[in-house]
Amino acid sequence: QKLASLKVDAMIPKPLSSQQLLGLILAACIRAQKAHVAVIDDDAFILECWEKSLSDTHVFLFSSATEFLQHVVEHPEWLTKLDAIFCDHFLGDEELRGEDLLQRIRSQTGADLFLISESNFAKPEDAISRNGIRFLEKNVLSWEEISRLRKRVS
């Protein structure tokens, strides 16, 4: 707006207007910022896959709900900086399920929330979408497929 109010269109290379130039600058700034993503999963291999696939982001990996919540307690402002949180539904032996964890922190963050589970999980899609949590289906691999993937990643 400031640039437009100065009427500097004449100084901008044509065919760009000041509004178009500002749009390009804003788009470049957005692309330059890396997303901040948290992933909670009790499977170390799955976490490693997330880390590799999110290499262009600031990714924070947690192997349990307890570990994630401890980080939140130690760094309460951190939750507000996250853009997305991906959480496995079944977190090992913990009593807190992924859905419960996301419900607990939902009001403290503006991040997009994703619950991840196998396709055989009876997904309460209506409840999840009403509560601002999206469901992502985790593709379940056979042990043979996992073994091949581990060899490839190593």
Side-chain angles (χ1 to χ4, degrees):
Q1 287 177 341
K2 196 173 198 176
L3 188 59
S5 70
L6 295 174
K7 301 196 186 293
V8 294
D9 265 356
M11 293 184 243
I12 297 173
K14 298 303 178 205
L16 289 179
S17 70
S18 58
Q19 289 302 99
Q20 290 169 322
L21 179 62
L22 290 174
L24 289 173
I25 292 169
L26 180 60
C29 289
I30 290 171
R31 281 193 306 273
Q33 294 179 357
K34 285 187 167 186
H36 290 76
V37 176
V39 180
I40 305 109
D41 199 304
D42 58 331
D43 186 318
F45 178 66
I46 298 293
L47 285 177
E48 187 178 342
C49 290
W50 274 103
E51 183 175 37
K52 287 184 184 298
S53 66
L54 295 172
S55 62
D56 59 340
T57 67
H58 293 289
V59 63
F60 303 88
L61 304 173
F62 300 93
S63 60
S64 70
T66 304
E67 182 184 357
F68 175 82
L69 289 173
Q70 183 61 39
H71 187 79
V72 170
V73 167
E74 292 170 3
H75 310 281
E77 74 292 341
W78 173 77
L79 266 181
T80 63
K81 296 176 183 175
L82 291 175
D83 298 299
I85 301 171
F86 296 91
C87 187
D88 189 23
H89 185 356
F90 297 107
L91 295 167
D93 296 333
E94 293 191 79
E95 291 181 22
L96 190 63
R97 295 178 310 144
E99 185 177 355
D100 301 327
L101 173 63
L102 294 177
Q103 292 290 353
R104 183 184 288 189
I105 62 160
R106 187 184 61 194
S107 65
Q108 301 169 48
T109 183
D112 291 322
L113 305 175
F114 298 91
L115 182 65
I116 304 163
S117 189
E118 290 82 13
S119 59
N120 62 358
F121 167 62
K123 40 190 180 245
E125 289 171 336
D126 292 337
I128 290 173
S129 62
R130 271 198 311 271
N131 292 323
I133 299 171
R134 297 182 203 151
F135 179 83
L136 289 179
E137 187 174 320
K138 183 191 290 185
N139 292 325
V140 180
L141 302 175
S142 68
W143 284 112
E144 181 180 298
E145 292 169 314
I146 291 173
S147 179
R148 279 193 308 238
L149 282 173
R150 286 182 194 226
K151 288 177 185 172
R152 222 189 264 166
V153 170
S154 300

